[in-house]
Amino acid sequence: MDELAVEQWEHPELGLHEERASRLLRDTLSEAGFEIEAGVGDMPTAFVASYEAGDGPTIGILGEYDALPGLSQAVSAEREPIEAGGPGHGCGHNLFGTAGVGAAIAVARALERGDAAGEVRFYGCPAEETLVGKTFMARDGVFDDLDAALTWHPSDHTAPQRGSSLALDSLSFTFEGESAHAAAAPESGRSALDAVQLLNTGVEYMREHVPEEVRVHYNVQEGGNAPNVVPAEASVWYFVRAPTREGVDRVTAWLREIADGAATMTRTDVTERYYTGCHRLVSNGVIADTLRENMAELGPVEFDSDERELAGQLQETFPEGALEDSLSEFEPPHDDAAADAALYGDPMDAFDDGETGSGSTDVGEVSQIAPTAQFRATTWALGTPGHSWQAVVANGDFGRTAVPYAAKLLAGATLDLLTDEQRLAAARAEFEADVDGYENPLPADAEPPFELTQ
């Protein structure tokens, strides 16, 4: 499996354009006897790989493989891009998908031996960073018959997750005005950039009147070219987040009204492009406990002295307070044990039970359709900021040590769900108590946003 992780790290690809990574993982699974359905959700790099033997449950393992823009980095304790401005695996998805593939193949071999009966699926999910892949796959119905789903994520600690995440809308507004000479004939122009600025200003005033947990972020995509030309076109991209799907809908409706108002004030026209949306994550406690049991059997993620030395060198480059912030979440005895460790791989209990994080994940879509849980495994130096060049270094070096660990953990938990009817029934009962139906957030005419390059 290690060569899969290295190959992806050396050739990072942005979301919905992961042709090489998707093909690499598909080929590996096909050679292992899996049936492949490619291009699901109208996305060429999305796929489902299935292996079935006998009558039994269907368990899905989720994988991702998209990189991040601007994070190209060599394996070095100093900032050293391989390609200026190029992408890099700052979230560890080169490890993420690889471990999932390894786990799926291990379960398939167990099914082949007759150790269990049922079906294991690996879901190749593109464009997680833009929260696109699983939402469009869900609209395609590929998760509908799952009995349970498991996944993981690289991190600076090892623990199951029991918390939730924020639901999200991702959309942009493009304003069309009239160009003119900004000095000689400003009265002939209608500034699309003015409209973008007024929209953003309106949102700043809106913030005072939304719930504290709501998050609204924006980025100006286009704002004109020269100061002496009134911009005829400008656009801005928004993320709207809230603890519930209904909360997101309310804030997005208000955002649209502000956009219409900005167009009215500037006498421009506005059009919307809805990119994607997702629900909050519902973590299944029964499956999370199953993951914790398997962690206890596996023990810690083990690193050698050279790996720990590089991790310590990376820690010296972290922003002030990053290490302390990570340690603040640990509980005894792990807090004292981790204080002097550059890499801390000992498994811990979940420390986010009942909490809602400030981020979002399209795993939330799957968790609204089938019982779902995920875990974190140590791949980064303790305190590593996510989406950082230091994470890229780890994902290309010592983070690879955790791939077999994550694969074994996913495979063990999957086999537990395939062979223990009572465990799976308990997971389903919890899911049905937590989730009241599912409605995909995408408009009927939504298409995958291939133009996004985050």
Side-chain angles (χ1 to χ4, degrees):
M1 290 292 106
D2 189 58
E3 64 273 12
L4 297 182
V6 173
E7 178 77 7
Q8 292 171 77
W9 188 88
E10 291 180 343
H11 302 278
E13 299 166 299
L14 299 178
L16 295 182
H17 301 281
E18 316 96 323
E19 290 87 1
R20 188 186 191 111
S22 176
R23 183 175 62 254
L24 183 68
L25 299 183
R26 291 198 313 267
D27 289 349
T28 301
L29 288 158
S30 179
E31 291 171 4
F34 282 71
E35 294 185 5
I36 309 295
E37 180 186 2
V40 298
D42 296 322
M43 297 172 293
T45 57
F47 68 93
V48 182
S50 306
Y51 190 99
E52 184 176 7
D55 294 330
T58 300
I59 310 298
I61 297 173
L62 310 179
E64 299 164 9
Y65 31 82
D66 56 325
L68 287 158
L71 281 182
S72 176
Q73 170 65 30
V75 174
S76 169
E78 299 180 356
R79 184 68 170 112
E80 187 181 333
I82 298 173
E83 175 190 354
H89 274 288
C91 212
H93 292 178
N94 63 308
L95 313 177
F96 190 158
T98 298
V101 166
I105 293 174
V107 174
R109 297 291 80 83
L111 291 171
E112 186 179 35
R113 292 192 302 269
D115 296 342
E119 181 178 0
V120 61
R121 291 184 192 157
F122 177 84
Y123 288 89
C125 306
E128 188 278 334
E129 299 297 351
T130 47
L131 299 113
V132 167
K134 299 178 192 66
T135 300
F136 279 84
M137 294 172 76
R139 189 179 67 173
D140 216 21
V142 299
F143 305 113
D144 288 353
D145 59 345
L146 277 181
D147 291 290
L150 301 97
T151 188
W152 77 293
H153 202 283
S155 185
D156 68 348
H157 63 272
T158 300
Q161 292 182 255
R162 297 183 69 102
S164 186
S165 64
L166 297 178
L168 172 141
D169 271 341
S170 172
L171 66 167
S172 69
F173 298 95
T174 298
F175 294 88
E176 298 283 347
E178 294 287 343
S179 62
H181 195 295
E187 70 281 1
S188 299
R190 297 292 180 264
S191 174
L193 179 58
D194 285 353
V196 165
Q197 291 177 302
L198 285 167
L199 167 56
N200 295 344
T201 299
V203 167
E204 297 305 331
Y205 284 99
M206 179 183 72
R207 292 185 195 277
E208 183 181 356
H209 305 288
V210 297
E212 184 177 352
E213 299 84 4
V214 167
R215 298 287 184 271
V216 183
H217 334 279
Y218 55 82
N219 179 57
V220 176
Q221 296 171 297
E222 183 179 357
N225 296 308
N228 63 339
V229 178
V230 175
E233 183 171 307
S235 60
V236 59
W237 179 13
Y238 268 86
F239 274 8
V240 176
R241 308 183 200 248
T244 65
R245 188 66 233 166
E246 295 76 17
V248 168
D249 290 341
R250 287 193 296 269
V251 177
T252 297
W254 193 351
L255 173 63
R256 288 173 172 139
E257 292 176 0
I258 297 172
D260 289 339
T264 298
M265 285 188 286
T266 55
R267 294 186 173 178
T268 58
D269 296 318
V270 62
T271 56
E272 175 191 319
R273 170 80 156 96
Y274 187 89
Y275 295 131
T276 189
C278 66
H279 285 75
R280 70 185 183 95
L281 175 67
V282 178
S283 295
N284 189 273
V286 173
I287 302 178
D289 289 345
T290 302
L291 291 167
R292 184 65 181 90
E293 292 169 16
N294 279 268
M295 284 181 185
E297 291 184 21
L298 284 173
V301 184
E302 298 282 4
F303 298 96
D304 64 31
S305 58
D306 290 339
E307 293 170 332
R308 293 181 182 279
E309 181 179 0
L310 177 57
Q313 293 171 352
L314 290 171
Q315 281 183 326
E316 296 176 3
T317 70
F318 291 171
E320 184 177 355
L323 178 56
E324 290 76 11
D325 289 345
S326 287
L327 286 170
S328 68
E329 296 184 303
F330 289 20
E331 296 179 353
H334 299 288
D335 53 352
D336 290 335
D340 297 320
L343 286 167
Y344 189 72
D346 287 10
M348 299 183 286
D349 295 335
F351 43 72
D352 60 349
D353 195 6
E355 298 180 4
T356 298
S358 57
S360 305
T361 173
D362 60 4
V363 177
E365 290 310 288
V366 185
S367 77
Q368 299 282 332
I369 299 170
T372 302
Q374 58 186 1
F375 66 92
R376 304 268 176 172
T378 301
T379 58
W380 307 337
L382 190 60
T384 300
H387 293 194
S388 66
W389 67 264
Q390 294 95 334
V392 179
V393 175
N395 297 326
D397 191 84
F398 53 80
R400 291 163 25 216
T401 298
V403 169
Y405 182 95
K408 291 175 183 177
L409 184 49
L410 286 168
T414 299
L415 286 169
D416 287 340
L417 294 170
L418 284 170
T419 57
D420 189 336
E421 292 183 6
Q422 290 185 336
R423 187 190 300 265
L424 191 57
R428 170 58 62 173
E430 180 184 332
F431 168 79
E432 292 177 350
D434 290 341
V435 177
D436 185 20
Y438 171 71
E439 182 177 349
N440 190 276
L442 296 171
D445 60 350
E447 298 178 352
F450 294 99
E451 70 272 26
L452 293 184
T453 55
Q454 178 173 322

